[in-house]
Amino acid sequence: MSAEGRRWAVVPAAGRGERFGGRVPKQYERILGRPVLSWTLAALLAERSIRRVVVALAEGDRRFGRLGEAGEARVQACPGGAERSISVANALESLAGAARDEDWVLVHDAARPCLRTTDLRALIDGVGRDSVGGLLAVPVGETLKRAGSNGRVDRTVPRDGLWRAMTPQMFRYGLLKRALALCIDRERNVTDEAAAIEAMGLRPRLVRGRGDNIKITHPEDRGLAAAILAARARE
C-alpha cells in the first residue's frame, strides 16, 4: 500500500480520571494556566496535514466547549464510551463518509500534553509507507520487577526488547475500524490501538520518540508536565 491517504486525528477524552483523584477529570486540570486537553489539541492542530481532530467526550461534558480549540474549524466532538476502544470506535464512525479506508488516523491520549512537533513528524514519516502502521514508543531503561501476591518481588523481568508505548498511534482508517470492531464484538478490552491491530495478527512499527512525551496519570505528573512545557517555551 502506498503512502497516499489523508490524515485525521482522534482524541479519546471521555475518561473520568479515577486514578488521578482530582476535582475535575485530568484532561481539564490546568497546567501553566491552560487545561491539559488544550495543550494536547494545540499539538495536533500544529500539524497542518491533519484534516480534522475528533474528540470523544463523556456524556454531559460541559467543559470542552470552553476550550479555545473547541471553536477551531478542524475540531469536532462526538460521544465517547466507558472504554477507550468504544470512544475511538465512535470517533471513527463520526468520520464515516469523509475518511477513506486508505486514510491515516492518528490516535492521541487526551492527557498527553507534551507531544513535540518533531515527534509527530517522525511518526508520520516513519509509518507513512508501512503496510501496517505504528506508534511512538521509547525503549524501557529501568529494571523491571514482577510483583508477587504478597507485595514482594516475584522475579526480575529482562528488559531487552521491551518498549514503553506512547501516542500518537497511526493506522489506516479502514484497518483500525475493523480491528476495534472485532475487539468490541469479542469483548476483548485493549488499552491502546496497537493492541487491537496485534489481535488481528499484525505487527505495528515502533517509532522512537522522546521520553518527555509523558501521560498525566497521577497528581505528581502535572508538575512534571508543567516543567517540560515551561522548559520548551524557553528553548
Side-chain angles (χ1 to χ4, degrees), residues 6 12 16 25 27 32 36 38 49 61 65 75-76 113 125 135 148 168-169 176 178 209 223 231:
R6 301 169 301 173
R16 302 293 185 181
Q27 62 268 30
L32 302 182
V36 170
S38 175
S49 71
D61 185 318
V75 174
Q76 75 174 61
D125 293 343
L135 63 150
Q169 303 192 359
L176 183 56
R178 292 192 301 274

Side-chain angles (χ1 to χ4, degrees), residues 31-34 39 113-114 116 212 214 221-235:
I31 295 179
L32 302 182
R34 292 172 61 181
W39 289 101
C114 300
R116 287 179 179 261
D212 60 5
I214 67 168
D221 298 331
R222 186 171 61 174
L224 179 56
I228 292 169
L229 291 168
R232 188 178 305 173
R234 293 192 297 267
E235 290 178 359

Side-chain angles (χ1 to χ4, degrees), residues 39-57:
W39 289 101
T40 300
L41 293 176
L44 293 172
L45 290 169
E47 174 54 53
R48 300 304 301 177
S49 71
I50 295 175
R51 298 174 68 91
R52 191 181 307 169
V53 181
V54 183
V55 187
L57 302 173

Side-chain angles (χ1 to χ4, degrees), residues 116-195:
R116 287 179 179 261
T117 302
T118 50
D119 269 12
L120 183 53
R121 178 46 56 180
L123 178 67
I124 291 171
D125 293 343
V127 173
R129 295 187 179 276
D130 194 87
S131 60
V132 176
L135 63 150
L136 286 178
V138 293
V140 171
E142 299 88 353
T143 298
L144 299 176
K145 305 290 184 182
R146 182 176 295 280
S149 58
N150 60 356
R152 294 181 178 274
V153 174
D154 182 61
R155 62 187 176 91
T156 299
V157 179
R159 67 189 181 201
D160 294 347
L162 294 180
W163 290 61
R164 182 159 53 92
M166 295 177 160
T167 66
Q169 303 192 359
M170 178 172 157
F171 299 100
R172 299 283 184 178
Y173 174 78
L175 174 62
L176 183 56
K177 194 173 181 180
R178 292 192 301 274
L180 289 173
L182 184 63
C183 287
I184 293 170
D185 184 62
R186 294 181 176 178
E187 298 183 346
R188 177 181 292 180
N189 185 32
V190 290
T191 55
D192 71 353
E193 293 62 51

Side-chain angles (χ1 to χ4, degrees), residues 68-85:
E69 291 77 13
E72 292 278 349
R74 289 191 291 150
V75 174
Q76 75 174 61
C78 77
E83 303 291 341
R84 178 192 179 95
S85 57

Side-chain angles (χ1 to χ4, degrees), residues 10-16 27-28 37 41 54-67 70 75-82 86-88 90-91 110:
V10 166
V11 178
R16 302 293 185 181
Q27 62 268 30
Y28 294 114
L37 184 54
L41 293 176
V54 183
V55 187
L57 302 173
E59 182 179 1
D61 185 318
R62 293 183 176 86
R63 295 182 175 89
F64 177 72
R66 302 171 194 162
L67 301 184
V75 174
Q76 75 174 61
C78 77
I86 296 175
S87 289
V88 176
N90 287 355

Side-chain angles (χ1 to χ4, degrees), residues 191-232:
T191 55
D192 71 353
E193 293 62 51
I197 299 296
E198 293 163 39
M200 298 184 73
L202 301 173
R203 296 292 174 260
R205 178 177 294 278
L206 294 165
V207 177
R208 183 163 184 163
R210 290 180 57 98
D212 60 5
N213 179 18
I214 67 168
K215 183 178 181 180
I216 295 176
T217 304
H218 304 288
E220 59 268 26
D221 298 331
R222 186 171 61 174
L224 179 56
I228 292 169
L229 291 168
R232 188 178 305 173

